[in-house]
Amino acid sequence: MARIVMKFGGTSVADLDRIRNVAARVKAQLDAGDEVAVVVSAMAGTTNQLVDWCQKLSSLFDAREYDAVVATGEQVTAGLVAIALQNLGVDARSWMGWQIAVETDGQHGKARIDAIESEELLSRMGQGQTPVVAGFQGIGPDNRITTLGRGGSDTSAVALAAALGADRCDIYTDVDGVYTTDPRIVPQARKLARITYEEMLELASVGAKVLQTRSVELAMKERVRVQVRSSFSDAPGTMVVDEDEVVEQEIVAGIAYSRDEAKITVRRVPDRPGIAAAIFVPLAEAHINVDMIVQNVAEDGTTDMTFTVGKADFARANAVLEQARERIGFVEITTDQNVAKLSVVGVGMRSHAGVAGTMFHTLAERGINIQVISTSEIKVSVLVAAEYTELAVRALHTAYDLDA
Ligand code: ADP
Ligand code: ASP
Ligand code: MG
């Protein structure tokens, strides 16, 4: 007997037939003799609709009320999946984040899980009950509902697996594993039987939304065995594993893209010590993550600072910079939301030169201009005009010999 967390994403619970399908899969796992805790997302499209309503009312909405709204999608599916399971004779019960409780910090809209009280769930599972947990949500120190950031049900599932001491966390989604790149835009993408935690972490953090970044971070830290697989087929999925479990390591594991970035350039700031702090400390204080950064060469004692933030933080970032205008002393701000970040990831980069060169050369051949570059030990990212995203990802996939 194994203890397994089964997490189902939005497309897997998109309508009642799919919810019945989820219930049947859970029942089959139980019939095999395993103990199961289920984690569910909102029905496909629901969270987008809820976010859109908040944004339409106010671009600088109160994050606590945003959480009160967007957490509702998962409540619906937890209840529906529990009913579908009961129809199959399974003793199932839904659980909201606050009922468990999934305790988080107070960062509304992108809260982190601090602890999960697992005793009650474990005791009920011991008595044969199957919990169906609403993913994406928790409860903050202010006793209000929090959410974990987009895609956060993955993190709910991994955190629950860690808290329950589960043998495995299966992430059921609409693709049958982790591919060398998004199979929806590159049909030649190859499914990976295994991927290292580190590569998955890097791929997720640069836009491969198949797993939320924090879920991988947590799996790595808590040693949770994660498998990504399809809720529509029985094909074997992808296991996320330690580096020493991968036999043949490719130099490049995968390519990711993100259209979620917005570029901000603070023009003609004084070129003096402390200027980066003057710009980035207020942004950090507003909990805005800054991603890529370049500072241009100085001319006549001033310089330009270009950086990217997530599109969701774009309006707030501009507001924060305007407020700090005098302290920073900039002349103007220019922005571009029509950009995409392309990233090449692989642990093999540590020992092989030339990965960045191949990327730049491939993009140059297609006449694609690179606006910003950033690198880490196992990743190279570039910012380009959004219209080139698909062309560029396909070209890079071929250039690194990843095509199936
Ligand atoms: P869910 O609703 O099940 O959480 P998501 O939409 O969050 O599903 O994540 C699955 C999607 O991730 C796939 O449909 C696919 O388009 C996208 N994706 C991006 N990069 C990859 C990749 N490297 N491998 C697999 N899927 C990827
Ligand atoms: N429903 C949430 C979202 O769309 C959480 C998730 O699906 O993981 O972001
Ligand atoms: Mg997801």
Side-chain angles (χ1 to χ4, degrees):
M1 185 199 89
R3 182 176 295 157
I4 297 172
V5 170
M6 300 173 77
K7 179 260 169 177
F8 295 92
T11 37
S12 307
V13 293
D15 56 37
L16 294 183
D17 275 337
R18 291 191 176 176
I19 284 176
R20 287 187 195 100
N21 168 59
V22 162
R25 282 197 169 256
V26 172
K27 171 96 165 37
Q29 195 83 58
L30 291 165
D31 288 346
D34 295 322
E35 233 177 32
V36 176
V38 182
V39 175
V40 291
S41 294
M43 293 162 110
T46 298
T47 311
N48 285 348
Q49 172 71 80
L50 297 168
V51 170
D52 186 54
W53 282 338
C54 294
Q55 282 170 342
K56 284 210 169 104
L57 277 179
S58 161
S59 67
L60 297 172
F61 47 72
D62 181 327
R64 283 162 298 197
E65 301 313 333
Y66 166 91
D67 277 349
V69 174
V70 300
T72 57
E74 274 71 13
Q75 174 158 348
V76 172
T77 37
L80 290 174
V81 169
I83 293 173
L85 279 167
Q86 288 170 1
N87 281 346
L88 300 180
V90 174
D91 177 12
R93 186 58 66 209
S94 69
W95 293 84
M96 301 309 110
W98 62 270
Q99 289 172 308
I100 293 178
V102 177
E103 291 164 13
T104 72
D105 65 15
Q107 280 292 310
H108 284 277
K110 46 181 166 189
R112 278 180 174 272
I113 297 177
D114 288 331
I116 295 184
E117 285 171 39
S118 56
E119 275 156 43
E120 177 78 14
L121 290 188
L122 280 171
S123 122
R124 290 184 184 231
M125 285 165 77
Q127 293 159 29
Q129 200 175 79
T130 299
V132 184
V133 174
F136 186 49
Q137 51 170 267
I139 182 148
D142 56 357
N143 203 31
R144 304 202 66 89
I145 293 171
T146 52
T147 62
L148 309 179
R150 296 307 304 270
S153 306
D154 297 328
T155 303
S156 306
V158 171
L160 188 66
L164 297 176
D167 299 286
R168 214 172 61 228
C169 180
D170 287 343
I171 305 283
Y172 286 85
T173 182
D174 55 1
V175 285
D176 57 8
V178 179
Y179 280 70
T180 46
T181 192
D182 188 343
R184 291 195 196 290
I185 72 164
V186 181
Q188 300 92 326
R190 269 190 293 121
K191 184 164 78 180
L192 301 165
R194 286 151 184 262
I195 186 166
T196 66
Y197 286 112
E198 257 188 305
E199 286 167 328
M200 192 63 242
L201 183 61
E202 200 83 47
L203 275 175
S205 74
V206 293
K209 66 173 185 165
V210 62
L211 288 176
Q212 197 199 32
T213 309
R214 277 188 195 161
S215 72
V216 188
E217 222 169 63
L218 200 61
M220 197 167 164
K221 181 163 150 266
E222 303 284 340
R223 317 312 300 167
V224 175
R225 286 187 79 75
V226 173
Q227 176 178 215
V228 177
R229 52 179 308 187
S230 165
S231 52
F232 308 114
S233 87
D234 289 320
T238 301
M239 287 298 304
V240 186
V241 299
D242 278 320
E243 209 169 321
D244 53 18
E245 288 183 66
V246 176
V247 191
E248 259 181 86
Q249 193 64 60
E250 309 270 354
I251 298 170
V252 168
I255 295 167
Y257 65 92
S258 166
R259 294 195 181 93
D260 187 44
E261 311 263 319
K263 185 175 77 165
I264 299 179
T265 301
V266 187
R267 305 290 303 271
R268 311 211 41 212
V269 292
D271 183 36
R272 57 166 168 76
I275 198 64
I279 294 172
F280 297 117
V281 170
L283 291 170
E285 280 169 359
H287 303 290
I288 293 167
N289 281 333
V290 172
D291 182 16
M292 310 169 96
I293 302 179
V294 274
Q295 179 178 341
N296 295 352
V297 279
E299 257 178 88
D300 61 32
T302 72
T303 184
D304 294 348
M305 192 82 86
T306 298
F307 56 92
T308 62
V309 298
K311 281 208 168 87
D313 286 333
F314 179 69
R316 272 192 317 124
N318 278 294
V320 167
L321 291 170
E322 276 305 333
Q323 253 178 8
R325 185 177 197 129
E326 257 174 51
R327 196 148 34 104
I328 303 170
F330 61 83
V331 173
E332 63 169 341
I333 291 179
T334 56
T335 61
D336 186 358
Q337 295 204 71
N338 207 11
V339 290
K341 183 172 69 172
L342 314 172
S343 306
V344 175
V345 172
V347 291
M349 274 182 218
R350 286 200 198 107
S351 47
H352 288 79
V355 173
T358 302
M359 184 176 203
F360 303 155
H361 177 71
T362 306
L363 297 175
E365 266 183 351
R366 303 290 186 299
I368 300 171
N369 188 40
I370 298 172
Q371 303 178 12
V372 188
I373 302 172
S374 70
T375 63
S376 80
E377 203 186 8
I378 65 165
K379 176 202 77 186
V380 187
S381 300
V382 297
L383 198 72
V384 303
E387 70 220 61
Y388 296 121
T389 311
E390 300 190 359
L391 170 68
V393 172
R394 288 197 190 113
L396 292 171
H397 199 265
T398 305
Y400 290 107
D401 275 333
L402 295 173
D403 290 352

Short mmCIF file of all heavy atoms in Angstrom, two decimals, residues 7 9-12 41 154 172-175 177-184 207-210, ligand 1:
data_model
loop_
_atom_site.label_atom_id
_atom_site.label_comp_id
_atom_site.label_asym_id
_atom_site.label_seq_id
_atom_site.Cartn_x
_atom_site.Cartn_y
_atom_site.Cartn_z
N LYS A 7 -3.21 15.16 -7.82
CA LYS A 7 -3.65 16.54 -8.08
C LYS A 7 -4.17 16.67 -9.51
O LYS A 7 -3.52 16.23 -10.45
CB LYS A 7 -2.48 17.50 -7.84
CG LYS A 7 -2.83 18.97 -8.11
CD LYS A 7 -2.35 19.45 -9.45
CE LYS A 7 -2.91 20.80 -9.82
NZ LYS A 7 -2.40 21.31 -11.10
N GLY A 9 -5.50 19.30 -12.46
CA GLY A 9 -5.51 20.70 -12.90
C GLY A 9 -6.82 21.09 -13.58
O GLY A 9 -7.73 20.26 -13.72
N GLY A 10 -6.89 22.35 -14.00
CA GLY A 10 -8.13 22.95 -14.50
C GLY A 10 -8.78 22.21 -15.66
O GLY A 10 -10.00 21.98 -15.65
N THR A 11 -7.98 21.81 -16.67
CA THR A 11 -8.60 21.12 -17.81
C THR A 11 -9.08 19.73 -17.41
O THR A 11 -9.99 19.20 -18.04
CB THR A 11 -7.61 20.98 -18.99
OG1 THR A 11 -6.33 20.73 -18.47
CG2 THR A 11 -7.58 22.24 -19.84
N SER A 12 -8.49 19.16 -16.38
CA SER A 12 -8.89 17.82 -15.95
C SER A 12 -10.23 17.82 -15.21
O SER A 12 -10.83 16.77 -15.00
CB SER A 12 -7.82 17.22 -15.03
OG SER A 12 -6.56 17.27 -15.64
N SER A 41 -7.82 21.84 -8.77
CA SER A 41 -7.82 23.23 -9.23
C SER A 41 -9.25 23.64 -9.55
O SER A 41 -10.15 22.82 -9.55
CB SER A 41 -7.02 23.37 -10.52
OG SER A 41 -5.68 23.10 -10.32
N ASP A 154 -0.46 23.20 -7.72
CA ASP A 154 0.68 22.28 -7.73
C ASP A 154 1.40 22.34 -6.39
O ASP A 154 1.79 21.31 -5.82
CB ASP A 154 1.68 22.66 -8.84
CG ASP A 154 1.09 22.56 -10.23
OD1 ASP A 154 0.23 21.69 -10.44
OD2 ASP A 154 1.50 23.34 -11.11
N TYR A 172 -1.72 15.39 -12.27
CA TYR A 172 -2.47 15.03 -13.48
C TYR A 172 -2.82 16.30 -14.24
O TYR A 172 -3.41 17.22 -13.68
CB TYR A 172 -3.75 14.29 -13.12
CG TYR A 172 -3.51 12.87 -12.68
CD1 TYR A 172 -3.20 12.58 -11.36
CD2 TYR A 172 -3.59 11.82 -13.59
CE1 TYR A 172 -2.99 11.27 -10.95
CE2 TYR A 172 -3.37 10.51 -13.20
CZ TYR A 172 -3.07 10.25 -11.88
OH TYR A 172 -2.85 8.95 -11.49
N THR A 173 -2.45 16.33 -15.55
CA THR A 173 -2.72 17.54 -16.32
C THR A 173 -3.16 17.17 -17.73
O THR A 173 -3.57 16.03 -17.97
CB THR A 173 -1.48 18.46 -16.27
OG1 THR A 173 -1.76 19.65 -16.99
CG2 THR A 173 -0.23 17.79 -16.84
N ASP A 174 -3.11 18.15 -18.65
CA ASP A 174 -3.62 17.89 -19.99
C ASP A 174 -2.52 17.49 -20.98
O ASP A 174 -2.77 17.37 -22.17
CB ASP A 174 -4.40 19.11 -20.51
CG ASP A 174 -3.58 20.38 -20.47
OD1 ASP A 174 -2.40 20.34 -20.07
OD2 ASP A 174 -4.12 21.44 -20.84
N VAL A 175 -1.30 17.32 -20.51
CA VAL A 175 -0.23 16.73 -21.33
C VAL A 175 0.29 15.53 -20.53
O VAL A 175 0.10 15.47 -19.32
CB VAL A 175 0.92 17.73 -21.61
CG1 VAL A 175 0.50 18.75 -22.66
CG2 VAL A 175 1.38 18.43 -20.35
N GLY A 177 3.22 14.57 -19.65
CA GLY A 177 4.51 14.65 -18.99
C GLY A 177 5.18 15.99 -19.27
O GLY A 177 4.56 16.89 -19.85
N VAL A 178 6.42 16.08 -18.84
CA VAL A 178 7.22 17.28 -19.11
C VAL A 178 7.94 17.04 -20.43
O VAL A 178 8.58 15.99 -20.62
CB VAL A 178 8.24 17.53 -17.98
CG1 VAL A 178 9.08 18.76 -18.29
CG2 VAL A 178 7.53 17.68 -16.64
N TYR A 179 7.84 17.99 -21.33
CA TYR A 179 8.44 17.88 -22.66
C TYR A 179 9.66 18.81 -22.76
O TYR A 179 9.86 19.69 -21.92
CB TYR A 179 7.42 18.25 -23.74
CG TYR A 179 6.46 17.14 -24.06
CD1 TYR A 179 5.48 16.73 -23.15
CD2 TYR A 179 6.52 16.46 -25.28
CE1 TYR A 179 4.60 15.70 -23.45
CE2 TYR A 179 5.65 15.43 -25.59
CZ TYR A 179 4.69 15.06 -24.67
OH TYR A 179 3.82 14.03 -24.97
N THR A 180 10.41 18.62 -23.85
CA THR A 180 11.59 19.47 -24.08
C THR A 180 11.20 20.93 -24.28
O THR A 180 12.02 21.82 -24.08
CB THR A 180 12.37 18.99 -25.31
OG1 THR A 180 11.43 18.74 -26.36
CG2 THR A 180 13.15 17.71 -25.00
N THR A 181 9.96 21.17 -24.69
CA THR A 181 9.40 22.52 -24.66
C THR A 181 7.89 22.35 -24.71
O THR A 181 7.38 21.24 -24.78
CB THR A 181 9.91 23.40 -25.82
OG1 THR A 181 9.54 24.76 -25.57
CG2 THR A 181 9.34 22.96 -27.17
N ASP A 182 7.15 23.45 -24.67
CA ASP A 182 5.70 23.36 -24.66
C ASP A 182 5.20 22.62 -25.91
O ASP A 182 5.34 23.13 -27.02
CB ASP A 182 5.11 24.78 -24.61
CG ASP A 182 3.61 24.77 -24.40
OD1 ASP A 182 2.99 23.71 -24.60
OD2 ASP A 182 3.07 25.83 -24.05
N PRO A 183 4.64 21.42 -25.74
CA PRO A 183 4.22 20.65 -26.92
C PRO A 183 3.10 21.33 -27.70
O PRO A 183 2.85 20.98 -28.84
CB PRO A 183 3.74 19.31 -26.32
CG PRO A 183 3.47 19.59 -24.88
CD PRO A 183 4.37 20.72 -24.48
N ARG A 184 2.47 22.32 -27.10
CA ARG A 184 1.41 23.01 -27.83
C ARG A 184 1.97 23.95 -28.89
O ARG A 184 1.26 24.31 -29.83
CB ARG A 184 0.55 23.84 -26.87
CG ARG A 184 -0.23 22.94 -26.00
CD ARG A 184 -1.35 23.62 -25.27
NE ARG A 184 -1.74 22.72 -24.21
CZ ARG A 184 -2.36 21.57 -24.41
NH1 ARG A 184 -2.71 21.22 -25.62
NH2 ARG A 184 -2.63 20.78 -23.40
N GLY A 207 8.98 29.99 -17.09
CA GLY A 207 7.73 30.03 -17.83
C GLY A 207 7.08 28.71 -18.21
O GLY A 207 5.96 28.71 -18.69
N ALA A 208 7.76 27.56 -18.03
CA ALA A 208 7.13 26.28 -18.37
C ALA A 208 6.08 25.98 -17.32
O ALA A 208 6.36 25.41 -16.28
CB ALA A 208 8.16 25.16 -18.41
N LYS A 209 4.84 26.38 -17.58
CA LYS A 209 3.86 26.41 -16.49
C LYS A 209 3.32 25.03 -16.11
O LYS A 209 2.40 24.92 -15.31
CB LYS A 209 2.72 27.36 -16.82
CG LYS A 209 1.89 26.91 -18.01
CD LYS A 209 0.68 27.81 -18.15
CE LYS A 209 -0.21 27.28 -19.26
NZ LYS A 209 -1.53 27.85 -19.24
N VAL A 210 3.89 23.98 -16.68
CA VAL A 210 3.41 22.64 -16.36
C VAL A 210 3.50 22.35 -14.85
O VAL A 210 2.68 21.62 -14.30
CB VAL A 210 4.13 21.58 -17.23
CG1 VAL A 210 5.62 21.56 -16.99
CG2 VAL A 210 3.53 20.20 -17.05
P1 ADP B 1 -3.15 22.40 -15.21
O1 ADP B 1 -4.39 23.18 -15.42
O2 ADP B 1 -3.35 20.92 -15.28
O3 ADP B 1 -2.39 22.82 -13.98
P2 ADP B 1 -1.35 23.95 -16.84
O4 ADP B 1 -1.99 24.63 -17.99
O5 ADP B 1 -1.03 24.75 -15.64
O6 ADP B 1 -2.24 22.68 -16.47
O7 ADP B 1 0.00 23.23 -17.31
C1 ADP B 1 -0.02 22.33 -18.39
C2 ADP B 1 0.42 23.05 -19.66
O8 ADP B 1 1.78 23.42 -19.55
C3 ADP B 1 0.37 22.22 -20.92
O9 ADP B 1 -0.90 22.24 -21.51
C4 ADP B 1 1.43 22.87 -21.80
O10 ADP B 1 0.86 23.71 -22.78
C5 ADP B 1 2.23 23.74 -20.84
N1 ADP B 1 3.67 23.51 -20.92
C6 ADP B 1 4.60 24.49 -21.02
N2 ADP B 1 5.81 23.99 -21.09
C7 ADP B 1 5.70 22.64 -21.02
C8 ADP B 1 6.63 21.57 -21.05
N3 ADP B 1 7.95 21.78 -21.14
N4 ADP B 1 6.16 20.30 -20.95
C9 ADP B 1 4.84 20.08 -20.84
N5 ADP B 1 3.90 21.06 -20.82
C10 ADP B 1 4.32 22.34 -20.91
#
